[in-house]
Amino acid sequence: MASLRTAVAGTAARKSVSRPGRPVSAPRMGLVPAASRLPLDEILVGDCIDAMNALPAGSVDCVFADPPYNLQLGEGSLLRPDQSRVDAVDDAWDQFSSFAQYDAFTRAWLTAARRVMKPNATLWVIGSYHNIFRVGGALQDLGFWILNDIVWRKANPMPNFRGKRFTNAHETLIWASRSAESKGYTFHYEALKGGNDDVQMRSDWFIPLCTGDERLKGADGQKVHPTQKPEALLARTILSATNPGDVILDPFFGTGTTGAVAKRLGRRFIGIERETVYADAARARIDSIEPLSQAALMVAPTKRAEPRVAFLSVLEAGHIRAGEILTDARGRHSAVVRPDGTLMVGPASGSIHKIGALVQGLPACNGWDFWHATRDGKPVVIDVFRGLMRAAMGSAA
């Protein structure tokens, strides 16, 4: 949960949604941008809604938001069984007088964020059971389209010291597009699958809390920020939904995890933070980051983006012969290759996809992954031959 607690945009809204707490830190001169320019790789110190409203409309590729959770801890300190005090979140920026006030605050910052998003931009917002359901409802009311909810399962959660509830071992991220009509958003499905041992990336992520050297601490040895998020969590969101060079806006910047990961991964960032102590820590942290090389950051082309190669072309190139028998990986099904690039099973003939679906009794099949040719006594998936042709086409180009 990043630190920025802001009032609701607009004078009238601020009058109707006032609450006690620390006054907003004064913005640094020259940091709030004019609409004509984008403050790339800068930290804007001040009110997040005012700062977002000063940005050009439709100017960012992604938003990562870690708003106040409104933890509702109640009066008094949270104590362990030995009566020692738990270092919980009790800062003024996380305190709201009512759910209605929190809802108004949520709608205000979401509205400001939606305005600066490009048509195909996406938004990530993280929260706990205290606030995420209210945030999700506001998202939908404002026209966002929810793509996924991600469960961040913590490898090392804080125990439930009172023993009256289940241990809170997860938080929830909502991933949403700007609207239901936003179909061209970025999602690196194949890259995520490749990094996950060729298994689809699931919506439950097992990632430890931020600890050790990654946790920022002050001269007194205490945590600079109570809820600093792990870089691994930010890295997965950024790698999944942005490209190198994209602009990521974080309106609750805290100690700059979004900026640090964005810089390392070759993205640009805009951070907004109300608390000067957090902004200063974030700036020093980000200055120490070394970006990865361009070679390491290159986005592998997806199969859909690669040149189309017809099965008939594979035959014509001599990789597979007419009359050859293709089988599935286990040899349970077989089909004969016809000279026209279709397959035949009994009286039925059709494409590699249609016949693959037919023999399995399925409505659809990716024939490139299903059918295998025998080479040196071993089954070889026919997509290998399509890959050889694509490589040759790339060399010729």
Side-chain angles (χ1 to χ4, degrees):
M1 179 173 42
S3 67
L4 181 58
R5 176 182 66 84
T6 179
V8 178
T11 302
R14 288 192 176 90
K15 289 181 179 178
S16 63
V17 191
S18 60
R19 57 192 172 94
R22 293 177 56 187
V24 175
S25 305
R28 295 184 178 181
M29 294 300 293
L31 284 181
V32 177
S36 60
R37 71 182 186 92
L38 208 56
L40 296 177
D41 304 327
E42 293 186 24
I43 303 173
L44 312 180
V45 180
D47 180 282
C48 73
I49 298 171
D50 287 345
M52 283 191 282
N53 286 339
L55 296 174
S59 59
V60 304
D61 300 285
C62 185
V63 176
F64 184 89
D66 187 4
Y69 285 10
N70 190 24
L71 290 178
Q72 310 139 47
L73 293 178
E75 298 296 328
S77 299
L78 181 61
L79 302 177
R80 297 182 178 89
D82 63 1
Q83 299 305 302
S84 62
R85 183 177 179 275
V86 176
D87 187 15
V89 181
D90 55 4
D91 302 78
W93 48 258
D94 190 59
Q95 296 172 10
F96 293 79
S97 64
S98 66
F99 286 131
Q101 186 188 54
Y102 186 80
D103 292 345
F105 160 73
T106 299
R107 289 191 297 270
W109 76 256
L110 281 173
T111 299
R114 191 169 186 267
R115 186 190 70 84
V116 300
M117 292 170 64
K118 294 179 181 178
N120 294 329
T122 56
L123 173 141
W124 295 86
V125 58
I126 186 170
S128 67
Y129 71 87
H130 302 87
N131 71 320
I132 197 64
F133 303 107
R134 310 188 79 86
V135 173
L139 275 168
Q140 292 178 314
D141 290 344
L142 293 171
F144 288 90
W145 187 256
I146 295 178
L147 300 169
N148 276 112
D149 66 321
I150 304 293
V151 174
W152 167 31
R153 184 184 166 206
K154 302 173 183 178
N156 48 346
M158 179 184 293
N160 183 271
F161 293 105
R162 293 176 178 171
K164 303 242 179 173
R165 303 182 184 182
F166 296 105
T167 298
N168 295 323
H170 78 278
E171 293 183 28
T172 300
L173 296 94
I174 295 175
W175 183 41
S177 60
R178 195 176 183 278
S179 71
E181 290 71 40
S182 302
K183 305 296 185 184
Y185 56 85
T186 297
F187 179 51
H188 294 296
Y189 166 82
E190 291 177 4
L192 291 168
K193 183 178 178 182
N196 196 40
D197 295 336
D198 290 324
V199 177
Q200 286 186 352
M201 183 65 70
R202 292 161 46 115
S203 62
D204 52 338
W205 299 353
F206 187 63
I207 297 174
L209 290 166
C210 178
T211 58
D213 292 340
E214 186 182 323
R215 169 67 76 171
L216 299 190
K217 294 183 179 179
D220 57 0
Q222 299 300 308
K223 294 181 286 189
V224 173
H225 194 289
T227 61
Q228 181 181 332
K229 293 300 184 291
E231 292 186 6
L233 182 70
L234 268 295
R236 192 173 294 187
T237 63
I238 289 172
L239 288 170
S240 66
T242 68
N243 297 304
D246 279 359
V247 178
I248 304 168
L249 168 67
D250 186 338
F252 307 97
F253 203 59
T255 52
T257 303
T258 300
V261 176
K263 182 178 177 181
R264 181 176 293 115
L265 296 179
R267 277 69 169 173
R268 313 301 297 271
F269 70 86
I270 301 172
I272 306 172
E273 174 52 53
R274 195 194 73 173
E275 307 295 336
T276 302
V277 63
Y278 296 156
D280 289 343
R283 193 171 290 109
R285 175 187 187 184
I286 294 168
D287 285 346
S288 69
I289 296 294
E290 289 292 332
L292 295 175
S293 67
Q294 290 188 351
L297 295 173
M298 287 182 63
V299 178
T302 65
K303 290 185 177 180
R304 292 183 180 181
E306 292 177 322
R308 183 180 180 276
V309 175
F311 183 63
L312 177 60
S313 299
V314 175
L315 265 68
E316 292 169 342
H319 295 298
I320 294 175
R321 302 179 308 278
E324 189 171 348
I325 303 297
L326 301 184
T327 67
D328 68 303
R330 298 183 180 180
R332 295 170 299 180
H333 307 289
S334 61
V336 179
V337 179
R338 290 163 50 96
D340 59 2
T342 60
L343 300 186
M344 182 172 63
V345 173
S349 64
S351 70
I352 57 174
H353 313 296
K354 180 179 178 180
I355 297 302
L358 176 67
V359 298
Q360 297 178 89
L362 298 175
C365 169
N366 184 342
W368 292 107
D369 295 331
F370 179 73
W371 292 110
H372 293 65
T374 301
R375 298 291 183 267
D376 298 325
K378 297 180 180 179
V380 176
V381 66
I382 64 173
D383 197 35
V384 168
F385 306 122
R386 181 171 64 161
L388 293 173
M389 295 194 65
R390 283 174 168 164
M393 293 166 68
S395 299

